Amino acid sequence: MNNELLTGKNARLTTKNEESPDARGTSPQNITVVLPAYNEEVSIGSIVLLTRHYSDSVIVIDDGSSDRTARIAEKAGAHVIVHEANKGKGAALKTGFAAAADLGADIIVTMDSDGQHNPSDIPKLVAPIIDGYAEMVNGSRYLTHQDKNTPIYRRFGQTILDTATKMNSGLKITDSQSGFRAFSASTKNVFRFKARGMAIESEMLADAGRSGLRITEVEIGVRYDVDGSTMSPIKHGLGVLVMVLKDVEFNRPLYYFTAPGVLLWGGGLTMGVSFLHNYNAVGQGLNFGPTILMILLIIVGTFMALTGVLLHSMSAVARKTEAA
């Protein structure tokens, strides 16, 4: 379905004279904020108004909302793009990155539109890109300490998702599920934008890691009292984990297949050596059950290890073909 660009009389770039004197500093770079939004009429107006103090323009991607999200965002001064149907956060970010490039953005900032993130953190987030030592900046709740405001169930789930994301991306990121990030506009073609839900955060880190982007983190604050998600935290976390593991299966098969296969093969081989030792030393015969288990471990382990090596070779060829 086609996207509809709503600019309206209130949608415009913020000029230098209209900025707060201490909001953006003296950076000549164009900072554009992309806000994916789905039924966020309660918060979107205030978020746009606050964000405009720290950026040159704000783009709201209304991803098939059934409320007044688009109308309120437009009145608050945002450039609004409407998806006629809900396509997911990945598609919304893809649309937003393309629109930001069309507006001449040098730096693209992504934020959640429900009010969890504080727009006043934007200058701190974009500083490493402006200073030239990063191409992507991840806003982290846990960079210098564990956020005591984070509920226990969130911290537990976050640890699992961070571990899986590190396996997939090869990056040591302290907050893999952060939606508050800054990107040099030159990186926009690095990302696939395939994931529909919150797994897009992990997917983007995987893409950044494989592309060798220079990445750093800065500390941010997050409000949890405004979390408007209607999905169960457990269901949400499991959904993200499954998507990350599927990505690992395709992009890092040595982790997904070969490593577990080697462990299974090693376990079967250890059992076999033990059986032979007992047979030679004390004349103990081979029990049917343990012997079958040993054979299965060796066969399955060997198959998984070889499958991982084969898929790794195929994915490497596929990436080289895409690059060509």
Side-chain angles (χ1 to χ4, degrees):
M1 297 184 181
N2 295 328
N3 301 328
E4 181 183 358
L5 176 61
L6 304 179
T7 53
K9 63 180 180 181
N10 294 318
R12 53 183 172 77
L13 292 179
T14 303
T15 64
K16 186 173 182 179
N17 291 331
E18 294 170 326
E19 294 169 0
S20 299
D22 59 343
R24 289 192 51 227
T26 59
S27 170
Q29 300 201 40
N30 181 296
I31 300 171
T32 297
V33 178
V34 173
L35 293 169
Y38 178 66
N39 291 338
E40 298 288 0
E41 65 176 9
V42 173
S43 60
I44 194 63
S46 59
I47 294 300
V48 170
L49 289 172
L50 288 171
T51 302
R52 289 177 59 200
H53 286 289
Y54 303 95
S55 63
D56 294 282
S57 57
V58 180
I59 300 173
V60 171
I61 312 302
D62 183 354
D63 193 30
S65 297
S66 58
D67 63 5
R68 298 176 297 167
T69 294
R71 190 184 313 167
I72 294 173
E74 181 188 2
K75 288 183 178 295
H79 297 264
V80 179
I81 301 175
V82 176
H83 287 175
E84 295 179 13
N86 183 263
K87 299 180 180 180
K89 189 174 183 181
L93 287 175
K94 183 176 182 179
T95 299
F97 270 55
D102 290 341
L103 289 177
D106 298 303
I107 299 174
I108 301 172
V109 176
T110 62
M111 286 176 54
D112 291 344
S113 55
D114 57 6
Q116 288 195 58
H117 299 140
N118 189 343
S120 66
D121 283 333
I122 291 175
K124 180 170 56 175
L125 200 70
V126 302
I129 299 176
I130 293 173
D131 293 340
Y133 64 86
E135 296 164 295
M136 175 178 172
V137 182
N138 190 61
S140 174
R141 294 162 285 182
Y142 315 112
L143 186 59
T144 57
H145 63 279
Q146 280 287 333
D147 185 353
K148 295 181 180 180
N149 294 322
T150 306
I152 294 177
Y153 70 88
R154 282 182 179 268
R155 291 201 296 267
F156 178 74
Q158 183 74 33
T159 300
I160 296 175
L161 294 176
D162 285 349
T163 301
T165 301
K166 288 175 185 177
M167 289 175 56
N168 192 26
S169 66
L171 301 173
K172 294 181 179 180
I173 296 295
T174 62
D175 191 355
S176 65
Q177 301 309 300
S178 174
F180 197 6
R181 293 170 174 169
F183 306 82
S184 170
S186 62
T187 68
K188 68 182 182 66
N189 294 325
V190 164
F191 306 105
R192 290 169 288 167
F193 299 113
K194 295 294 185 182
R196 283 188 57 87
M198 296 304 170
I200 185 62
E201 321 298 0
S202 292
E203 180 189 278
M204 293 182 78
L205 286 174
D207 293 340
R210 282 192 293 271
S211 298
L213 297 185
R214 293 174 296 156
I215 303 172
T216 190
E217 292 189 293
V218 299
E219 189 173 17
I220 60 168
V222 174
R223 293 180 57 187
Y224 295 106
D225 58 323
V226 295
D227 186 1
S229 176
T230 58
M231 183 181 294
S232 162
I234 296 177
K235 184 178 180 180
H236 164 73
L238 288 176
V240 173
L241 181 60
V242 168
M243 290 296 295
V244 172
L245 291 179
K246 285 182 178 180
D247 208 32
V248 173
E249 178 182 358
F250 178 77
N251 294 295
R252 288 182 174 262
L254 294 181
Y255 281 106
Y256 200 88
F257 290 105
T258 301
V262 169
L263 291 176
L264 292 177
W265 181 84
L269 185 62
T270 300
M271 290 179 65
V273 171
S274 177
F275 293 162
L276 288 175
H277 173 75
N278 292 336
Y279 180 80
N280 292 328
V282 298
Q284 179 180 339
L286 298 177
N287 294 322
F288 179 78
T291 301
I292 293 298
L293 177 60
M294 175 197 70
I295 295 172
L296 286 175
L297 287 176
I298 292 176
I299 292 176
V300 172
T302 301
F303 175 78
M304 289 182 66
L306 293 177
T307 298
V309 171
L310 179 61
L311 289 176
H312 176 73
S313 300
M314 292 174 63
S315 62
V317 171
R319 283 194 293 270
K320 288 181 179 178
T321 302
E322 289 178 359

